Structure formats: C-alpha cells, structure tokens
C-alpha cells in the first residue's frame, strides 16, 4: 500500500473586517448610556495627560423635566443627600439601642450575614457552631435584629419577612398574621375556599388579606444604597409648539473634552524621541475620542429625529399612540446597519413635557387587522383596557379576550394573548378573580 502526499498552491481572495481595538471601542461608545459615557471619558482622562475634561453643571445648564401636573422638577432633587448601606443603617441602630454585652456581639455577628435585600443568609445552627453561643442566645440576637428598621429585616424567608412587617402594622387586617403563619402556602396558591372553611370566614375576608399582602415589600433592604438609576439625563428633547414637533440634542449634558495645547507644547520642547512619540500617541487618542463622541451624538440625534418623524401622533395626540416601527425602517432610511440603530436606542432617552421615554419605547411590530396594520402596542393597550373593564368576579378568559379582539377586527391567537398578558404583568383569569365584587 502506498501513501502519497500531494501539495498544491491555490490563491483565494476573501473579504474580512479587521476589528481593531479602536473600532471595538467606537462600537462600545455608541452603546454607552450618558452616565456610562461620562465615566468612560473620565477614565480616558486619567490615562491621557493631554486630555482635559469639564463635567457639565446640571443645576444651571440642564433643562428641567415636568411632572404629570405640569410643574417643574429638578432631577438632582431626587438624589438622596447621603448614601447609606443597609449594613451601616443596621450597625448605627445596634450601637444606639443595644448595650455592649455578649448578646450585642452575637447581633453584630449575624448582621454581617444580612444580604442586600435584608434576609439572613446563615442558619442559626451554623451561627452556633461558629460563635460558640447557645441556640437560645442566637435566637435572641436574631429577634433583636428583627426589631430594627426597616420592618422585615433579618427574615429567613419570604413568609417570615411578611409576618414581621404585618406584626408591626397597626392597620393590618386582624387575621393577616394568622393567615401568613398558618396558611401561607394555601394563600399563595389561592386555595381560599379551604382557608375560609377552616376559619369560618368569607372569601371576601381572605381577599382583603391577600390585597393587604400586596402592599408589603418582599425585599425590605433594597431601598438602601440604591441611588443608581434614580435620575436620567436624556440624550434628546422634543418640543411641541403650534402642532410642530422639533427634536433637540442635549449635548450640553455631556462632558466637554479639550486638548491641553500649552502642556503639549511644553513637553514637545524636550526633543526626546520617546517623549515625542508618547505625545503623538496621546494626541491621536484625544482626536479619536473627540471624533467618536461627536459621531455618537450625531447617530443618536439622526436616529431620534427619524423616530420622532415616524411617531408624530405620539407627541401630538393625548392618547400617545405608537405606530408600527422596526429597526429596519430606521436603518434603511439612514443607510446604516440595524445593529447600529439598536445600539443607538438602547439606554438612550428622550424627554418630553409629559415624561421621559427610552428610544426603544417607540418600536413596535406590525399586526394584521381589518382596518390595516396596528402596532403590537395598540393591541396591548386594547388588551389592558378589556381587562381593566372586566367584571372581577367573572374575569375574562384568554379565549374570551381573543373573541373580543377578533370582533374588533384584530386577528390574534390565544397564545399571543397569553404572551401579551405576561408582558403586561396581567395575571391569569383565575388569579384576577375577586370575591369582594358585587
């Protein structure tokens, strides 16, 4: 048997896009939110001595949004004066309320195992083994923690968290604590007939407790250390005057990037080849950053302008309807890639006199109907309206919702109705049923 190796040479021409580091960063810059971009620019300034960054003065230069009542609202007033973590909040209360005893030492130990939502993440058996304290002492220490603010802190599960909050609330329904303690699973699984029969109460009484529980928080510690995301700096502003809709770019809300020319000239005089190369590289970095940030602003403005043109009725009509619009519509009009449009709308916001909206809010798929094409948003709004108007004692099933929408000329399946319900956070008909309706 012979084995032969054959070698041949072939020329093959292919096209490849070389994704350089600068190109990757340019794509990333477009994807940044305003806050993320500001942090990115600050980091660039730390690495480049020729880059001078001036942060905007929001209190004097930035336009104020309006509330639903039309009054002016300063975004910076929404930011807490100080940021304190849940851990710090609990430690302050412990030192203020409890004497320096061994029991307080155990309290301080357990606090280290309270997570950001306020739950205890270590079992008492583990705490006993780690501290040498007795089970009774650890339970007493946990009880002291559960008496602190916020109500519900130190709970070991959701049931206990809700019980702790109910225990302190003077306005809680009389049987609320009992139902949480003895019938929590039945209550959650809506086996209310069983509860009512065992306690000789009405379904309306159970409904009242269930409604009350909805007002409690499952994560009492989450309100601490959560200043991030409390305010938004919109990228665009829309003004409506005499039925004319105009878009403005909020570039005044961006950091100002300047080149330190004087420092550059001073360093240049050294004549050192390494220094000169360093200066050249840093100058190129500055030029790239400035150009990239400007391109980002241009892209967001151009995309936003087309969106506003396509969604005129949203800004002129009090009902704020959304017309069918997809990424491809924008990309074709601007002759850019759909991925570019996607990056330009995610995490970018538009300010109006009646609220602030993320740009991707204005996109909606088309859905067939007798009177042409409706957006999925229109159908969702109609679905929500039908559920809002239903008899809660006899809520509409998904099939009934399909029938009603079909009667209005909207061709939709039961599966789609169920999907839209989930998106709108509308429970199933069984879970919407109320027993206190007449």
């Amino acid at each position: 048997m012979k084995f032969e190796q054959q070698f041949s040479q072939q020329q093959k021409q292919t096209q490849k896009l070389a994704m350089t580091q600068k190109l990757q960063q340019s794509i990333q810059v477009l994807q940044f939110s305003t806050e993320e971009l500001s942090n990115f620019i600050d980091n660039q300034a730390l690495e480049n001595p020729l880059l001078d960054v001036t942060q905007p003065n929001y209190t004097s230069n930035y336009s104020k949004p309006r509330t639903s009542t039309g009054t002016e609202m300063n975004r910076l007033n929404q930011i807490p004066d100080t940021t304190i973590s849940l851990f710090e909040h609990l430690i302050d209360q412990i030192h203020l309320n409890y004497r320096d005893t061994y029991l307080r030492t155990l309290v301080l130990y357990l606090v280290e195992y309270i997570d950001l939502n306020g739950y205890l993440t270590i079992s008492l058996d583990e705490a006993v083994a780690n501290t040498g304290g007795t089970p009774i002492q650890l339970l007493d220490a946990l009880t002291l923690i559960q008496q602190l603010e916020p109500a519900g802190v130190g709970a070991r599960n959701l049931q206990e968290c809700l019980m702790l909050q109910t225990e302190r609330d003077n306005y809680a329904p009389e049987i609320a604590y009992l139902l949480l303690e003895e019938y929590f699973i039945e209550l959650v699984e809506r086996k209310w007939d069983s509860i009512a029969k065992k306690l000789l109460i009405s379904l309306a009484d159970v409904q009242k407790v269930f409604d009350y529980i909805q007002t409690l928080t499952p994560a009492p510690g989450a309100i601490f250390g959560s200043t991030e995301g409390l305010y938004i700096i919109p990228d665009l502003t829309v003004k409506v005057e005499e039925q004319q809709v105009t878009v403005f770019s909020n570039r005044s809300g961006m950091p100002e990037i300047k080149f330190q020319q004087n420092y550059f000239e001073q360093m240049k005089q050294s004549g050192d080849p390494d220094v000169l190369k360093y200066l050249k590289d840093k100058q190129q970095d500055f030029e790239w950053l400035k150009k990239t940030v400007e391109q980002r602003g241009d892209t967001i403005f151009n995309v936003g302008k087309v969106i506003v043109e396509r969604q005129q009725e949203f800004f002129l009509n009090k009902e704020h309807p959304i017309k069918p619009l997809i990424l491809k519509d924008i990309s074709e009009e601007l002759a850019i890639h759909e991925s570019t449009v996607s990056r330009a709308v995610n995490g970018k916001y538009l300010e109006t006199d009646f609220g602030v909206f993320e740009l991707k809010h204005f996109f909606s798929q088309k859905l067939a109907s007798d009177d042409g094409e409706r957006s999925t948003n229109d159908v969702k709004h109609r679905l929500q309206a039908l559920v809002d108007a239903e008899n809660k004692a006899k809520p509409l099933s998904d099939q009934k919702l399909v029938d009603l929408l079909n009667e209005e000329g909207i061709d939709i399946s039961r599966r789609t109705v169920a999907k839209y319900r989930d998106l709108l956070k509308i429970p199933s008909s069984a879970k919407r049923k109320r027993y206190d309706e007449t």
Side-chain angles (χ1 to χ4, degrees), residues 8 50 91 107 152 160 164 175 207 224 246 312 342 374 383 410 412 422 435:
S8 63
L50 302 179
I91 292 296
V107 170
E160 187 175 32
L164 289 170
I175 58 173
Q207 179 77 65
F224 291 89
T246 310
Q312 290 273 324
S342 177
R374 296 193 186 187
L383 177 62
I410 300 173
I412 192 170
D422 289 340
Y435 298 91

Side-chain angles (χ1 to χ4, degrees), residues 30-49:
L30 177 58
Q31 198 161 338
F32 283 151
S33 66
T34 302
E35 184 182 357
E36 290 169 339
L37 179 61
S38 181
N39 292 334
F40 176 75
I41 292 173
D42 283 339
N43 289 332
Q44 291 292 306
L46 293 175
E47 299 174 6
N48 190 345

Side-chain angles (χ1 to χ4, degrees), residues 306 310 324-334 366:
V306 175
R310 296 290 189 97
L325 183 67
I326 58 177
L327 297 177
K328 188 177 180 181
D329 296 333
I330 306 297
S331 68
E332 288 180 348
E333 181 159 342
L334 295 177
K366 300 173 183 177

Side-chain angles (χ1 to χ4, degrees), residues 5-200:
Q5 284 185 321
Q6 294 184 349
F7 298 92
S8 63
Q9 286 186 334
Q10 288 184 339
Q11 267 192 332
K12 196 174 182 181
Q13 191 175 23
T14 59
Q15 270 192 329
K16 287 186 179 180
L17 176 63
M19 186 71 75
T20 64
Q21 183 179 2
K22 289 298 184 187
L23 181 56
Q24 289 176 336
Q25 285 185 323
S26 296
I27 293 173
Q28 191 177 26
V29 165
L30 177 58
Q31 198 161 338
F32 283 151
S33 66
T34 302
E35 184 182 357
E36 290 169 339
L37 179 61
S38 181
N39 292 334
F40 176 75
I41 292 173
D42 283 339
N43 289 332
Q44 291 292 306
L46 293 175
E47 299 174 6
N48 190 345
L50 302 179
L51 186 60
D52 181 42
V53 177
T54 303
Q55 291 293 342
N57 183 359
Y58 298 114
T59 56
S60 60
N61 296 332
Y62 201 69
S63 60
K64 297 177 181 178
R66 293 182 177 273
T67 63
S68 57
T69 58
T71 57
E72 286 190 340
M73 173 183 64
N74 188 335
R75 284 188 189 81
L76 299 185
N77 288 340
Q78 300 178 64
I79 309 173
D81 293 335
T82 57
T83 302
I84 184 171
S85 68
L86 174 63
F87 179 77
E88 293 170 326
H89 182 64
L90 295 176
I91 292 296
D92 287 344
Q93 293 180 78
I94 292 167
H95 287 301
L96 183 65
N97 295 308
Y98 302 143
R99 291 179 297 132
D100 187 9
T101 62
Y102 177 65
L103 187 58
R104 190 177 81 166
T105 301
L106 296 178
V107 170
L108 291 171
Y109 172 81
L110 289 179
V111 163
E112 294 184 7
Y113 292 91
I114 301 290
D115 67 16
L116 295 178
N117 289 321
Y119 286 84
L120 184 69
T121 60
I122 186 175
S123 70
L124 292 187
D125 288 340
E126 289 179 286
V128 167
N130 294 340
T131 62
T134 66
I136 294 297
Q137 287 174 325
L138 266 302
L139 185 59
D140 287 343
L142 177 59
T143 301
L144 291 178
I145 290 176
Q146 292 177 345
Q147 292 173 4
L148 301 175
E149 293 293 338
V153 72
R156 289 162 287 185
N157 52 52
L158 176 61
Q159 180 183 10
E160 187 175 32
C161 180
L162 298 176
M163 288 170 59
L164 289 170
Q165 294 175 63
T166 303
E167 188 177 31
R168 290 205 219 169
D169 187 358
N170 295 328
Y171 298 97
E174 289 185 9
I175 58 173
Y177 190 90
L178 173 64
L179 262 61
L180 284 169
E181 184 177 34
E182 300 291 340
Y183 302 98
F184 180 69
I185 300 299
E186 290 96 325
L187 188 64
V188 172
E189 294 180 350
R190 299 182 77 92
K191 296 178 180 178
W192 296 358
D193 286 326
S194 173
I195 297 175
K197 289 176 182 177
K198 290 177 181 177
L199 296 179
L200 301 178

